[in-house]
Amino acid sequence: MFHRYRPLRPLLEQRKVIQKKSVEIDQESKCSSSESDDLEYIYKERPDFENYAYPNDYWKLVKSIKYLTFGRPLITTIALITAYDCDFQDPIMLKYLDDYRIVGILLNFLQSRDKRVQTVSLRFLKNISKIRALRHEIVYLGGVKCMVKLLKEPQIDLKQAAAETITSVADFHKAWSAVRHAGGIPLLVNMMYVSQALLFEDPQTLSDQLAAVIKAAEAAAETLYVVCQCRKNQIEFLLSGALKGCQNILKTPHVRLCTYVLQIIQKCASQKCIRLAIKNSNMLEDFRLHFYSDDQKLMQAAAQAAFKCAEGEESKRFFGKAGFVDKLYEIIQTSAFHTDFDLMASVSGALWKCAENEENVKRIQALNAAPLLIQLLSSQPKRVQEHLVACISCCLSNPQIRTTVRKNNGIEALIGLLHTTHPPLIMHLNKALATAAADNECLMIIEKMDALRLIWSHLKHDNPSVKANAAWQLASILKNIDHSSRYVRSLVGGIQVLMECLQTNHTRVLTSICALIVVLSKETDNLRILTNYQVVENLSRLTGTKCRRLRYHLCMAITACCPYRNNREEFVKRRIVYPLIGMLKSKSPVVKGAATHALYQLAHIARWCAVMYNTSGVYEVLLSEMRSKDRDVQESAAVDFGMKRQNSFDVTNPAGLKLVPDCNPSSENTKLDIKTYLPPVNH
């Protein structure tokens, strides 16, 4: 039984109300486009179609529709064939299809017993499905379920027509769900499978009947690629056992079928379980074989599949051993491919994944690929630049490649791209410059071109990921600069931006800002500016977090800010001791160590030292931390333990006992060496 019928005219009237509230659309774009949106706008402007110039296809359609319900299959088939090639991109044709419920009639024909009527009806539906409103109407009337039933028929041409129509209709989520609920994915997978003998036979020597089987398999593969954009459909595809058959198809000489299968794999590789299944089935070697193909689409699909499946050190090492790097560099080096941006994006992405392995980086160094990658940055679009910069960023960890990049003006080229607005490219640029800052000569170029100011400006970006990335990379760069206070003083409103970032709700941003505060607090001038901008108040507000990583960096930021003036007293006034004691009992040893450092700083205040002394469970944790492998944590736990023992709370003295002089080191000596707690560059 069909779903609730939704006629086209109410949908158009509803869109008319929405359009009145929006900005008026340009008339030229409406007339030039053939999409359904423009047709609907034109249709709404002429609701009565008075004095309208009816095209010849309209009269042909009117005459043909009269015979659709004649009752005889042959006449119905001829009428459908006559009206099949009409131009439905005219608004009056859209109105006629809606008035006479042509879509419902065609879907009823799909349930007839005559195979010719079914085949022609499918082609008719495929032709009118170019209009978006009609695609939605076909799905709402249960057309997808009718088409899936036809996939069970033995006729090859009927199954191929059904698959092609599903491909044309299924461009939104409800259609993908309808295919899954109707059981279409296993049927499409079975339709894609062909015999081993046919798979490895030369396409030029196939008979017409066998060529039709291959075309039907290609249509099924294309349909699977369209419907597998949904996550649940991807899991259904894996559960149907399709990967084993895909491995055999990848070895076939049929280029178009291989291309669709590779596109399916790259679409489904977003699921971790599917990537693991692909790695276990040894399909990575088949990807490399298609890099040598003469067909650019097949080469692009293979590179994109390798890019998506290159997860884990084992896969990246395999890419290096199998010669992936050499072939990828050969493709990028070919100037004929530089204008094919889709191919360049896929190949550069695969090279980026290979560069995440140190052995592959050494191979890139042997090929001397860095100058070419830098040269391509100026002539490629942003999506290719994103992958190229990411590859360069991974290679900059190698000192020799870092020198090559510097000599070829690569640092200047990377800094020149910092003005972009593309978020992924911004994050890869920040990471590349942070990696290059480990070299003193590269750091001098970064300082000379004032790149720190540009990276700092990314803290104002609307994207939280860009903010977090900028803070991480600033922390990595500033830890290599001896006198960072002069940069901070030159940034007008720079510290104020940090304090505004601490008021956000995004945990990643808060974590990275706390790590940056730890680095800035190495210098007294920076710590003084941070204190003037209420860093104590902003950090104290975050002590109630449950995020383990944020807890660690927050404790280290509190530890770094305590030695300055009366910051300890300001912290304890805001009652952060109790949350820190709760962090001290955390299951994470890293959080325990950071909380030990923070409580060590606050234990200099006698009153709160007594509070810690009277809190159950604190001493047990401190004793366990004294056995830590980190020497700084051992010292902090030992001194903290001794201070609590010697400064127990005396109820007869309301002010509490003062600290024993030997256990109260001066503020100059309490500053910890926080270099071991700085965030790594790969954040």
Side-chain angles (χ1 to χ4, degrees):
M1 189 172 181
F2 291 132
H3 298 284
R4 182 172 61 88
Y5 179 70
R6 296 183 62 181
L8 185 61
R9 185 173 294 125
L11 292 177
L12 300 180
E13 293 176 357
Q14 183 180 2
R15 290 177 63 91
K16 183 176 181 180
V17 176
I18 297 175
Q19 186 194 17
K20 289 181 180 179
K21 300 179 182 179
S22 61
V23 181
E24 185 177 354
I25 298 177
D26 187 22
Q27 292 289 337
E28 295 181 0
S29 64
K30 291 189 290 184
C31 298
S32 61
S33 176
S34 62
E35 291 294 326
S36 61
D37 293 343
D38 297 331
L39 290 174
E40 293 168 11
Y41 291 139
I42 297 173
Y43 177 74
K44 285 180 288 184
E45 292 175 358
R46 302 179 181 178
D48 50 358
F49 289 95
E50 294 181 358
N51 302 323
Y52 188 76
Y54 291 91
N56 294 331
D57 286 341
Y58 173 79
W59 302 112
K60 185 168 73 171
L61 178 63
V62 170
K63 295 177 182 178
S64 302
I65 293 301
K66 294 180 181 178
Y67 298 98
L68 286 183
T69 57
F70 195 76
R72 298 184 61 180
L74 180 59
I75 297 177
T76 302
T77 303
I78 295 174
L80 288 173
I81 293 174
T82 304
Y84 167 74
D85 58 347
C86 292
D87 183 15
F88 296 100
Q89 303 296 332
D90 196 284
I92 190 63
M93 305 289 282
L94 182 63
K95 177 180 181 300
Y96 188 83
L97 292 174
D98 177 48
D99 289 344
Y100 286 89
R101 308 289 189 263
I102 302 301
V103 174
I105 295 174
L106 293 172
L107 294 180
N108 287 333
F109 286 161
L110 295 182
Q111 301 181 7
S112 66
R113 298 180 180 178
D114 191 277
K115 305 306 177 185
R116 293 175 300 180
V117 174
Q118 290 176 335
T119 304
V120 179
S121 299
L122 287 170
R123 292 176 180 172
F124 200 108
L125 287 169
K126 179 184 175 182
N127 193 17
I128 66 175
S129 63
K130 298 176 182 177
I131 303 172
R132 189 183 65 176
L134 294 180
R135 290 198 297 270
H136 284 250
E137 188 177 4
I138 292 171
V139 175
Y140 291 141
L141 292 176
V144 173
K145 186 176 181 180
C146 298
M147 298 173 195
V148 169
K149 288 182 178 179
L150 296 179
L151 296 176
K152 302 177 183 178
E153 298 293 335
Q155 287 81 4
I156 298 297
D157 56 345
L158 182 58
K159 292 197 295 184
Q160 179 181 350
E164 291 174 352
T165 309
I166 294 173
T167 303
S168 182
V169 171
D171 68 334
F172 60 104
H173 195 277
K174 189 173 182 64
W176 305 333
S177 301
V179 174
R180 183 178 69 254
H181 292 312
I185 294 180
L187 293 175
L188 290 169
V189 170
N190 292 333
M191 184 177 168
M192 185 178 63
Y193 286 168
V194 293
S195 63
Q196 291 275 358
L198 182 57
L199 274 179
F200 296 100
E201 193 170 344
D202 187 6
Q204 304 296 332
T205 61
L206 292 177
S207 62
D208 294 341
Q209 185 177 2
L210 295 179
V213 175
I214 295 295
K215 288 183 179 179
E218 293 172 354
E222 184 180 6
T223 308
L224 283 171
Y225 169 68
V226 172
V227 302
C228 281
Q229 299 182 52
C230 174
R231 182 182 62 85
K232 293 183 179 179
N233 287 1
Q234 294 170 2
I235 301 299
E236 184 73 18
F237 176 79
L238 176 63
L239 296 177
S240 63
L243 286 181
K244 186 176 181 180
C246 290
Q247 187 174 8
N248 295 330
I249 294 176
L250 289 179
K251 300 174 183 178
T252 181
H254 303 283
V255 175
R256 193 161 178 260
L257 182 59
C258 285
T259 303
Y260 284 132
V261 170
L262 285 170
Q263 289 175 347
I264 296 171
I265 291 174
Q266 71 172 2
K267 187 68 67 175
C268 297
S270 58
Q271 303 293 329
K272 184 176 180 179
C273 59
I274 297 180
R275 290 197 301 269
L276 182 62
I278 290 172
K279 185 184 72 171
N280 294 336
S281 59
N282 298 324
M283 294 175 63
L284 299 178
E285 175 63 25
D286 299 324
F287 298 164
R288 185 183 65 87
L289 297 177
H290 293 296
F291 287 167
Y292 299 91
S293 174
D294 296 332
D295 189 83
Q296 291 191 18
K297 290 185 177 180
L298 180 58
M299 193 187 304
Q300 176 198 343
Q304 188 69 15
F307 169 59
K308 290 293 184 67
C309 298
E311 295 292 339
E313 287 298 324
E314 184 179 349
S315 298
K316 294 167 186 174
R317 282 197 299 268
F318 173 79
F319 287 163
K321 294 178 181 178
F324 269 65
V325 177
D326 298 59
K327 185 57 184 177
L328 290 172
Y329 177 68
E330 181 183 344
I331 296 173
I332 291 181
Q333 199 176 18
T334 306
S335 58
F337 296 147
H338 289 175
T339 55
D340 190 347
F341 298 137
D342 293 333
L343 177 61
M344 290 296 293
S346 302
V347 174
S348 58
L351 187 62
W352 163 31
K353 291 299 182 180
C354 292
E356 292 180 351
N357 180 263
E358 294 183 2
E359 296 178 1
N360 295 341
V361 171
K362 293 179 181 179
R363 185 56 191 164
I364 293 174
Q365 174 196 344
L367 294 171
N368 195 24
L372 177 62
L373 298 180
I374 296 170
Q375 181 183 356
L376 290 174
L377 288 176
S378 59
S379 61
Q380 296 296 317
K382 291 182 179 179
R383 55 176 177 163
V384 182
Q385 288 178 347
E386 172 191 345
H387 295 163
L388 291 173
V389 172
C391 181
I392 294 173
S393 175
C394 296
C395 295
L396 284 174
S397 58
N398 186 299
Q400 297 182 3
I401 296 181
R402 194 160 56 225
T403 304
T404 304
V405 170
R406 176 174 53 79
K407 291 182 178 179
N408 287 273
N409 300 324
I411 305 299
E412 292 84 347
L414 294 174
I415 296 174
L417 294 174
L418 281 175
H419 296 282
T420 184
T421 57
H422 188 52
L425 180 56
I426 292 174
M427 292 189 287
H428 288 303
L429 285 169
N430 293 341
K431 181 182 176 182
L433 293 174
T435 308
D439 183 77
N440 291 331
E441 296 184 7
C442 294
L443 184 60
M444 290 175 59
I445 298 174
I446 293 174
E447 295 179 14
K448 181 180 179 180
M449 298 191 67
D450 205 11
L452 282 175
R453 186 183 301 274
L454 294 173
I455 299 176
W456 201 292
S457 66
H458 294 155
L459 295 175
K460 302 179 182 179
H461 202 278
D462 296 333
N463 192 330
S465 298
V466 175
K467 288 184 181 180
N469 176 268
W472 285 122
Q473 309 315 329
L474 280 172
S476 300
I477 295 174
L478 290 174
K479 75 176 182 181
N480 298 312
I481 299 177
D482 294 332
H483 303 286
S484 62
S485 57
R486 57 192 179 95
Y487 290 102
V488 176
R489 287 195 299 269
S490 66
L491 295 171
V492 180
I495 300 299
Q496 186 177 357
V497 173
L498 288 183
M499 298 302 106
E500 292 175 358
C501 291
L502 283 177
Q503 297 173 6
T504 185
N505 294 325
H506 296 280
T507 306
R508 289 181 298 171
V509 178
L510 295 173
T511 305
S512 59
I513 295 297
C514 288
L516 179 57
I517 290 174
V518 173
V519 179
L520 293 175
S521 301
K522 290 190 299 182
E523 298 190 19
T524 307
D525 292 341
N526 292 339
L527 192 53
R528 175 176 53 82
I529 299 173
L530 288 169
T531 303
N532 293 338
Y533 277 92
Q534 290 82 36
V535 67
V536 174
E537 179 182 353
N538 288 294
L539 291 177
S540 301
R541 194 184 302 114
L542 304 177
T543 52
T545 181
K546 301 297 182 183
C547 177
R548 184 177 59 184
R549 179 174 291 184
L550 177 56
R551 281 183 167 188
Y552 166 72
H553 289 285
L554 176 61
C555 290
M556 295 310 301
I558 293 173
T559 304
C561 294
C562 277
Y564 184 75
R565 289 187 180 179
N566 59 341
N567 280 355
R568 291 191 184 94
E569 288 77 7
E570 293 297 326
F571 274 120
V572 297
K573 281 180 183 178
R574 288 168 175 80
R575 295 184 175 274
I576 70 166
V577 174
Y578 294 112
L580 289 177
I581 291 175
M583 296 180 192
L584 191 64
K585 301 177 182 179
S586 173
K587 296 181 180 180
S588 173
V590 179
V591 176
K592 285 182 182 179
T596 303
H597 281 297
L599 289 174
Y600 160 73
Q601 292 291 333
L602 299 179
H604 291 79
I605 301 174
R607 177 169 176 266
W608 290 102
C609 184
V611 171
M612 301 176 202
Y613 178 82
N614 292 308
T615 303
S616 62
V618 173
Y619 276 99
E620 290 78 1
V621 177
L622 290 178
L623 287 173
S624 65
E625 289 302 302
M626 290 171 64
R627 295 190 294 269
S628 174
K629 296 181 180 179
D630 192 328
R631 186 173 181 82
D632 291 335
V633 175
Q634 286 181 359
E635 293 179 357
S636 297
V639 176
D640 197 6
F641 185 86
M643 293 168 70
K644 290 178 177 59
R645 292 285 295 175
Q646 298 182 31
N647 293 278
S648 58
F649 189 78
D650 188 358
V651 294
T652 62
N653 184 3
L657 294 180
K658 294 185 179 180
L659 290 173
V660 176
D662 294 339
C663 296
N664 185 14
S666 62
S667 60
E668 289 79 6
N669 297 329
T670 55
K671 190 173 284 190
L672 298 175
D673 183 13
I674 57 176
K675 264 193 172 180
T676 56
Y677 293 94
L678 298 187
V681 177
N682 60 1
H683 272 75

